[in-house]
PDB file of all heavy atoms in Angstrom:
ATOM      1  N   THR A  67     114.440  12.379  51.175  1.00  0.00           N
ATOM      2  CA  THR A  67     113.173  11.763  51.475  1.00  0.00           C
ATOM      3  C   THR A  67     111.990  12.241  50.460  1.00  0.00           C
ATOM      4  O   THR A  67     111.896  13.493  50.316  1.00  0.00           O
ATOM      5  CB  THR A  67     112.686  12.154  52.843  1.00  0.00           C
ATOM      6  OG1 THR A  67     113.676  11.840  53.771  1.00  0.00           O
ATOM      7  CG2 THR A  67     111.330  11.448  53.311  1.00  0.00           C
ATOM      8  N   ILE A 177     116.573  26.936  60.645  1.00  0.00           N
ATOM      9  CA  ILE A 177     116.754  27.630  62.043  1.00  0.00           C
ATOM     10  C   ILE A 177     115.619  28.557  62.075  1.00  0.00           C
ATOM     11  O   ILE A 177     115.438  29.579  61.218  1.00  0.00           O
ATOM     12  CB  ILE A 177     118.126  28.494  61.969  1.00  0.00           C
ATOM     13  CG1 ILE A 177     119.332  27.556  61.428  1.00  0.00           C
ATOM     14  CG2 ILE A 177     118.456  29.103  63.317  1.00  0.00           C
ATOM     15  CD1 ILE A 177     119.633  26.420  62.168  1.00  0.00           C
ATOM     16  N   GLY A 356      92.477  44.463  88.361  1.00  0.00           N
ATOM     17  CA  GLY A 356      93.036  43.199  88.646  1.00  0.00           C
ATOM     18  C   GLY A 356      94.374  42.980  87.869  1.00  0.00           C
ATOM     19  O   GLY A 356      95.204  42.142  88.135  1.00  0.00           O
ATOM     20  N   ALA A 378      99.884  60.250  60.889  1.00  0.00           N
ATOM     21  CA  ALA A 378      99.427  59.920  59.675  1.00  0.00           C
ATOM     22  C   ALA A 378     100.552  59.289  58.809  1.00  0.00           C
ATOM     23  O   ALA A 378     100.192  58.719  57.831  1.00  0.00           O
ATOM     24  CB  ALA A 378      98.868  61.091  58.924  1.00  0.00           C
ATOM     25  N   ASN A 409     101.650  47.727  52.230  1.00  0.00           N
ATOM     26  CA  ASN A 409     101.280  46.389  52.559  1.00  0.00           C
ATOM     27  C   ASN A 409      99.779  46.129  52.212  1.00  0.00           C
ATOM     28  O   ASN A 409      99.631  45.421  51.196  1.00  0.00           O
ATOM     29  CB  ASN A 409     101.315  46.171  54.209  1.00  0.00           C
ATOM     30  CG  ASN A 409     101.718  44.843  54.490  1.00  0.00           C
ATOM     31  OD1 ASN A 409     102.731  44.274  53.915  1.00  0.00           O
ATOM     32  ND2 ASN A 409     101.295  44.237  55.568  1.00  0.00           N
ATOM     33  N   SER A 466     105.717  31.564  47.591  1.00  0.00           N
ATOM     34  CA  SER A 466     106.954  31.119  48.483  1.00  0.00           C
ATOM     35  C   SER A 466     107.665  29.813  47.861  1.00  0.00           C
ATOM     36  O   SER A 466     108.756  29.550  48.291  1.00  0.00           O
ATOM     37  CB  SER A 466     106.401  30.919  49.933  1.00  0.00           C
ATOM     38  OG  SER A 466     105.717  29.743  49.984  1.00  0.00           O
TER      39      SER A 466
END
Side-chain angles (χ1 to χ4, degrees):
T67 304
I177 310 297
N409 223 36
S466 73

